[in-house]
Amino acid sequence: METIKTIDYTITIDNGLFDNIAQLLKTHTNGTCHIIVDSKVYKLYQESLKKNLEAINYTITIVRDGEGSKSFTTYQDTVAKLIQKGIRRDDLLVALGGGVIGDLCGFIAATLYRGIPFVQIPTTLLSMVDSSIGGKTAINLPQGKNLVGAFNMPEAVFIDPEFLSTLEENQLRSGLVEVYKAALLGDKNLLEDLKVDRLDNQVIKRAIEVKRIIVEQDPYDQGARLVLNFGHTFGHAIEKAHNFETYTHGEAVAEGIIMALQIGVDQGITPNALCHEIKAILLEKHLVTEPLLNYKDYLPYISHDKKMSRDGLRFVFLKDYEHPVIKTIDQGAL
Ligand SMILES: NC(=O)c1ccc[n+]([C@@H]2O[C@H](COP(=O)([O-])OP(=O)(O)OC[C@H]3O[C@@H](n4cnc5c(N)ncnc54)[C@H](O)[C@@H]3O)[C@@H](O)[C@H]2O)c1
């Protein structure tokens, strides 16, 4: 078993942890556990979910799987169902699923009755190494992703890597991109380990550690935390341009990382050799495929992104491995 202690909560990583989930949840509430799960995860895990929860009071609320559920409509429907089920302020909300469920459930937990405790049980690689960590919760608006949200730390994060056995290949790749992002930002040795295609609990732990260290420097995203957006400025634009259908989040971020490297070279920040090296790694690991996308095609889609400041576009570049640089550039200069 691996544990990571953040300032506010503990992250536990253990194979088979889900079998003991009732015991773990019991340490966080004497009330009812309200599980929010997406339809796909529910279909795959309903038997074990019901068996594992036998010893505690619980309700299950199922939302449709996919990014579309990070919406006001789903927020409202889910809250209505929870109230109908008699949810109280001293109950516990439980996000069982990927980043969509974590973000939605965390936002409900931040806002329903002005706050209900919640825990995260991430079931995708992306949610294990990224979205369940750091307390950012949000839903989307037609104008853009994550535009309405709250900082809301979970009580705990319980990671059972065995969930990954049912994850589709493209979703696994999507999470792997965030592992590579973490390695590029803060753990070059992890990059070496990833060369042998080893995805074990240590890899998950080290990717989380990179995020934990960055988040703890800047929990409310006022400065340092922005580096986690490496590859995301264009990543989000790519997802939006393709209606969140053609590319998974991670696939879009992988393209966005290469775009950030190329623009970094043009800006005189990123060495050409570094850009080529990282591009070669992402291509070799099939995290991007040729022909690569052209960032100029996605410029119109970044105008509503939260990364726009009054002075221009706040961009994350890489000066070297483990050396991200934040720079505001005029969008017209791209
Ligand atoms: N809060 C944050 O800090 C943060 C950080 C990064 C990303 N995000 C958000 O996370 C979301 C993306 O998360 P995601 O990639 O996990 O997407 P997701 O939650 O949509 O999950 C991807 C797909 O995998 C399925 N799935 C989940 N677990 C499974 C399992 N064990 N086996 C089989 N299928 C499974 C889901 O049903 C879904 O179809 C985006 O909305 C993004 O904005 C948030």
Side-chain angles (χ1 to χ4, degrees), residues 199-253:
L199 178 62
D200 59 18
N201 297 2
Q202 272 301 319
V203 168
I204 293 173
K205 182 180 180 182
R206 283 165 65 186
I208 292 172
E209 271 295 348
V210 172
K211 182 157 183 182
R212 179 192 67 78
I213 291 165
I214 294 169
V215 168
E216 286 183 355
Q217 285 166 22
D218 176 26
Y220 297 106
D221 213 2
Q222 299 295 307
R225 188 170 176 167
L226 193 79
V227 299
L228 291 168
N229 284 330
F230 181 49
H232 284 61
T233 307
F234 278 102
H236 283 166
I238 293 165
E239 282 184 284
K240 191 171 174 211
H242 296 276
N243 288 325
F244 301 94
E245 281 164 5
T246 317
Y247 296 90
T248 61
H249 178 71
E251 286 166 343
V253 169

Side-chain angles (χ1 to χ4, degrees), residues 47-218:
E47 300 306 330
S48 53
L49 181 62
K50 286 176 187 162
K51 184 169 132 289
N52 296 344
L53 292 178
E54 256 168 15
I56 56 172
N57 290 328
Y58 70 94
T59 73
I60 298 177
T61 303
I62 303 163
V63 305
R64 189 177 297 176
D65 89 281
E67 187 70 28
S69 284
K70 272 176 62 173
S71 66
F72 260 123
T73 312
T74 309
Y75 169 85
Q76 229 174 346
D77 286 354
T78 311
V79 162
K81 285 179 184 158
L82 289 167
I83 292 172
Q84 200 189 17
K85 288 169 184 168
I87 187 166
R88 293 161 37 133
R89 280 182 78 181
D90 55 354
D91 286 345
L92 186 69
L93 275 166
V94 180
L96 176 66
V100 164
I101 290 298
D103 280 10
L104 172 72
C105 179
F107 185 59
I108 293 173
T111 48
L112 180 58
Y113 304 153
R114 297 197 186 89
I116 294 177
F118 85 114
V119 302
Q120 297 255 22
I121 309 175
T123 60
T124 62
L125 180 58
L126 184 139
S127 57
M128 291 175 188
V129 299
D130 191 0
S131 62
S132 69
I133 316 298
K136 273 193 186 179
T137 72
I139 55 175
N140 302 329
L141 292 183
Q143 290 83 355
K145 264 177 74 92
N146 300 327
L147 293 186
V148 175
F151 290 97
N152 186 24
M153 296 297 171
E155 299 291 302
V157 180
F158 298 120
I159 299 177
D160 186 344
E162 287 186 7
F163 278 115
L164 301 180
S165 64
T166 53
L167 202 59
E168 284 172 15
E169 190 58 36
N170 66 338
Q171 295 298 342
L172 208 54
R173 270 205 313 275
S174 179
L176 207 50
V177 173
E178 298 293 351
V179 175
Y180 273 90
K181 183 195 79 179
L184 293 171
L185 290 176
D187 188 348
K188 189 171 182 236
N189 292 336
L190 176 56
L191 212 55
E192 289 301 311
D193 290 355
L194 286 167
K195 278 189 182 156
V196 292
D197 288 328
R198 194 168 59 91
L199 178 62
D200 59 18
N201 297 2
Q202 272 301 319
V203 168
I204 293 173
K205 182 180 180 182
R206 283 165 65 186
I208 292 172
E209 271 295 348
V210 172
K211 182 157 183 182
R212 179 192 67 78
I213 291 165
I214 294 169
V215 168
E216 286 183 355
Q217 285 166 22
D218 176 26

Side-chain angles (χ1 to χ4, degrees), residues 11-22:
I11 302 154
T12 308
I13 310 169
D14 201 7
N15 289 80
L17 164 157
F18 191 56
D19 295 339
N20 296 317
I21 200 67

